[in-house]
Amino acid sequence: MRKKASLKLTKILRDNGLKTEFDMQGKNFSKGFEKALKSGANFAVILGEDEIKANKITVKNLQTKQQVTVDRDKILDTLR
């Protein structure tokens, strides 16, 4: 279920002009955040089982390290 939700979210973000990559390797978050930061990303999006069940998405600002959880339909506003 998580992979399907991640692919759907990736498509939505790309369709709205946002450069998007996703990692389904199950690495720990710290290494995933480091990889995203090295690739030039400003944000990391976390979509786990808890978020999927609650219809939420967690967004981490990789520069400030602040993290917020938003309603799924607010993701584009949050990332822009």
Side-chain angles (χ1 to χ4, degrees), residues 12-74:
I12 290 168
L13 296 175
R14 288 179 179 164
D15 287 350
N16 283 276
L18 297 171
K19 181 181 172 191
T20 307
E21 296 180 28
F22 72 96
D23 181 1
M24 293 295 295
Q25 295 180 6
K27 296 179 183 176
N28 71 37
F29 283 123
S30 295
K31 288 186 181 187
F33 294 147
E34 286 176 25
K35 182 180 175 183
L37 192 55
K38 285 181 184 178
S39 74
N42 295 317
F43 298 97
V45 175
I46 303 163
L47 186 61
E49 294 299 326
D50 291 340
E51 285 87 1
I52 292 168
K53 288 176 187 173
N55 205 32
K56 304 277 187 183
I57 298 174
T58 299
V59 178
K60 181 170 184 166
N61 183 313
L62 297 174
Q63 307 301 316
T64 66
K65 310 294 188 230
Q66 292 181 327
Q67 186 170 301
V68 296
T69 300
V70 298
D71 291 331
R72 186 180 206 111
D73 61 350
K74 301 291 184 199

